[in-house]
Amino acid sequence: MNNPYSVVTTIKSYDVIIVGASFAGSTLAIELGQSGFQVLLLDQMSFPETSSRTYPFFNSAVNLLKKLNLESYLEEIDSPTVPQILFQFDEVCIKGEVPVVNKESRNYGVKRSDLDFVLFKKAISFENVTCLQGFQVTKLLRQMDQVVGIAGVNRLGETFQYTAKMVIGADGRNSIVRRELNLQPMLNLESDYAYFHGSLSGLEPLNPLHFEVYRVLDQILAVFPTTKNQYGVYVIFPHSKQSWMEAFKQSSEDAFLRYLETEFSQINFQHRLKHAKLTTRVESLTDYSNYWYEGLGKGWALVGDAVIFKEPCLGQGVHDAIYAGRYLAELLKKYPDWIYSSSTLAYEYNRHLVEKFKGPFDLSGVLTKQQKLTAEEKMMHQMISAYPEATEKFLGIFNYANNMNELNSTIEQIVKSKTT
Ligand SMILES: Cc1cc2nc3c(=O)[nH]c(=O)nc-3n(C[C@H](O)[C@H](O)[C@H](O)COP(=O)(O)OP(=O)(O)OC[C@H]3O[C@@H](n4cnc5c(N)ncnc54)[C@H](O)[C@@H]3O)c2cc1C
């Protein structure tokens, strides 16, 4: 319970307060912690978190873990390596090896709760990183137009205030830091889709293991192998399927299995379910937008999902949060006088986010709307699946092995060679 009378202002001031200790926040705390900054890392949850969601963790993200000296933890969390990736769009199948990035070929199917715990443990191993779990930030403190700290409440309902030179919102989609700043999105596209995730045991496997994504008419099925022979399974369908939306509302667990058994018969998925059992509760994401906010201002910054959110089925959110956490830390080290350098910092940070993420964000905008594949898209998929060089560039978009432009120019070359 929040007790409005117990306001305690702590005397200690920090260089940085990071709100949110998951992927983006813990990465930032590691990078700033090892450079000697005084960091206060806050999270309303306790780690390890309880989510059962499984994510593909591509080689590009493995490379980021190497930079954080955390590679060895991948052995510890005992996730399977997944060499192949498969996309099926109606009847066209595009599949192959996940393209290698900087000589790294290992991809994993990880439980998000294992992975953010690894980052969190490393972050709090630094003496100069103070961490409070179960602490919910409720307010930003300001002096004039400068953010100077936060106020929040612990599990006992006691309210505390902390001050810092910089407050960073690494607090996800519903970021309190962003809301307190009253920012309006620069880009915002509401999604037509709802996500439901459950873990299955006993699913008939593909050999070798694949990250599998099937688009059947206007619905998507994503299957990611993970620890202990389990599979993280996402069912994604438009809100316009009202009877299914209602069924999931009544009993997600019951609806989840029925949906898998009945809605993916075109790809014969029901045959792989003979011995399958749902081993977790079903988690959902039903109302969300793809958005993009300004990333940095006077005394504040946003990172990870707090600043940009893309369609989750791209499988890039964790990579992006770790990547951006590292990049923001680098910038803060490059311009240590944050108050006087705030416009330079803002310019460089926002520009880099655009360079790195605008391409996938645009792709995400196409995926988030309920629309049937056009004849042109179908032709494109056929061409990509028929030409190995195009397949490689298509698959490489998802793990940042290459960008959309490289795929487009590969396709142009194929078309040119066919017409000459
Ligand atoms: C259904 C779904 C499926 C997804 N699938 C994938 C996938 O397959 N692959 C992939 O890479 N990504 C996926 N994502 C995206 C991925 O989860 C996010 O991009 C990633 O978690 C972003 O990390 P983050 O650290 O920015 O934010 P988060 O992971 O959201 O962490 C935010 C942290 O802030 C804390 N917090 C929030 N508010 C407060 C507050 N007021 N006070 C204190 N602490 C606070 C939270 O407790 C949390 O720990 C998926 C997302 C969803 C919703």
Side-chain angles (χ1 to χ4, degrees):
M1 256 256 302
N2 192 347
N3 176 354
Y5 300 106
S6 67
V7 176
V8 182
T9 306
T10 44
I11 294 160
K12 184 164 167 126
S13 182
Y14 293 86
D15 292 318
V16 181
I17 294 172
I18 302 171
V19 184
S22 185
F23 301 104
S26 281
T27 300
L28 200 52
I30 293 168
E31 291 287 357
L32 295 175
Q34 66 195 6
S35 297
F37 290 91
Q38 293 296 323
V39 176
L40 177 61
L41 180 63
L42 303 169
D43 206 294
Q44 62 193 6
M45 292 192 315
S46 294
F47 291 85
E49 54 163 308
T50 53
S51 170
S52 66
R53 270 185 265 149
T54 299
Y55 293 169
F57 194 70
F58 290 117
N59 43 12
S60 48
V62 172
N63 285 332
L64 294 176
L65 279 199
K66 285 185 195 162
K67 290 181 178 154
L68 293 166
N69 291 323
L70 282 170
E71 188 189 1
S72 58
Y73 283 93
L74 285 168
E75 313 302 324
E76 201 179 286
I77 60 180
D78 192 29
S79 292
T81 49
V82 185
Q84 304 257 340
I85 183 166
L86 170 164
F87 287 90
Q88 183 156 340
F89 299 98
D90 294 336
E91 59 288 342
V92 181
C93 186
I94 302 173
K95 67 175 180 174
E97 300 272 333
V98 179
V100 171
V101 178
N102 290 342
K103 300 193 181 143
E104 179 56 66
S105 59
R106 290 169 299 167
N107 313 282
Y108 296 87
V110 294
K111 293 244 182 251
R112 69 161 281 157
S113 53
D114 288 337
L115 190 62
D116 64 1
F117 192 40
V118 161
L119 290 161
F120 176 76
K121 281 190 291 187
K122 172 88 177 186
I124 61 170
S125 69
F126 296 97
E127 267 179 21
N128 47 323
V129 174
T130 306
C131 174
L132 297 178
Q133 301 185 64
F135 186 93
Q136 185 181 38
V137 172
T138 53
K139 223 171 94 170
L140 289 182
L141 308 177
R142 298 163 200 255
Q143 268 170 13
M144 314 282 278
D145 59 351
Q146 181 86 20
V147 172
V148 294
I150 59 95
V153 58
N154 69 12
R155 289 220 173 95
L156 300 173
E158 296 163 327
T159 305
F160 290 85
Q161 297 185 351
Y162 297 99
T163 56
K165 290 182 211 146
M166 172 79 75
V167 173
I168 299 177
D171 48 348
R173 279 186 310 116
N174 300 314
S175 168
I176 182 70
V177 176
R178 191 183 69 219
R179 278 183 282 142
E180 278 282 295
L181 288 163
N182 227 347
L183 297 180
Q184 295 307 309
M186 298 190 290
L187 300 169
N188 190 41
L189 194 58
E190 271 179 35
S191 175
D192 294 339
Y193 282 90
Y195 279 66
F196 297 92
H197 174 275
S199 296
L200 295 183
S201 67
L203 184 74
E204 189 77 33
L206 293 189
N207 192 6
L209 290 177
H210 284 67
F211 296 124
E212 306 167 49
V213 181
Y214 304 92
R215 180 172 167 151
V216 178
L217 302 174
D218 55 1
Q219 59 199 341
I220 296 169
L221 167 66
V223 182
F224 305 139
T226 186
T227 46
K228 299 182 184 135
N229 296 323
Q230 303 234 358
Y231 286 79
V233 176
Y234 289 91
V235 161
I236 305 161
F237 60 83
H239 294 140
S240 56
K241 284 182 179 275
Q242 281 170 2
S243 56
W244 276 114
M245 286 298 287
E246 192 50 41
F248 272 87
K249 212 191 265 175
Q250 297 297 327
S251 167
S252 296
E253 282 68 30
D254 174 51
F256 190 77
L257 282 173
R258 273 197 297 124
Y259 198 97
L260 287 173
E261 276 157 9
T262 55
E263 295 296 304
F264 295 106
S265 54
Q266 289 95 322
I267 54 165
N268 279 327
F269 195 69
Q270 67 279 15
H271 294 308
R272 293 178 62 191
L273 289 167
K274 274 185 202 135
H275 306 290
K277 283 203 173 72
L278 185 63
T279 57
T280 57
R281 68 190 171 83
V282 170
E283 294 180 44
S284 64
L285 174 69
T286 50
D287 283 306
Y288 65 98
S289 294
N290 289 235
Y291 56 72
W292 193 303
Y293 286 84
E294 205 180 316
L296 197 145
K298 292 185 175 172
W300 62 268
L302 299 173
V303 66
D305 279 6
V307 61
I308 299 170
F309 187 75
K310 306 194 253 98
E311 200 51 45
C313 70
L314 285 174
Q316 294 178 331
V318 167
H319 165 277
D320 295 359
I322 299 175
Y323 178 92
R326 291 195 71 242
Y327 181 74
L328 179 56
E330 246 174 62
L331 263 191
L332 295 177
K333 288 184 240 170
K334 183 171 164 194
Y335 299 103
D337 192 346
W338 301 334
I339 294 180
Y340 292 104
S341 310
S342 79
S343 43
T344 312
L345 277 167
Y347 173 75
E348 285 208 21
Y349 186 49
N350 289 321
R351 192 193 54 178
H352 190 78
L353 293 181
V354 170
E355 268 170 24
K356 182 75 186 172
F357 300 127
K358 186 63 170 56
F361 187 86
D362 290 341
L363 175 62
S364 171
V366 177
L367 296 174
T368 209
K369 287 289 165 200
Q370 178 190 6
Q371 47 210 349
K372 290 212 170 105
L373 292 174
T374 61
E376 202 180 318
E377 282 168 331
K378 285 183 181 179
M379 233 172 62
M380 185 71 87
H381 291 150
Q382 271 159 355
M383 181 179 291
I384 291 170
S385 102
Y387 289 85
E389 63 273 37
T391 300
E392 187 187 336
K393 294 293 177 209
F394 175 81
L395 300 179
I397 290 169
F398 297 90
N399 71 335
Y400 291 100
N402 54 262
N403 59 29
M404 280 296 278
N405 294 341
E406 288 170 75
L407 170 64
N408 290 337
S409 65
T410 304
I411 289 171
E412 270 169 32
Q413 278 165 20
I414 293 170
V415 173
K416 221 190 258 171
S417 69
K418 277 174 63 172
T419 50
T420 51

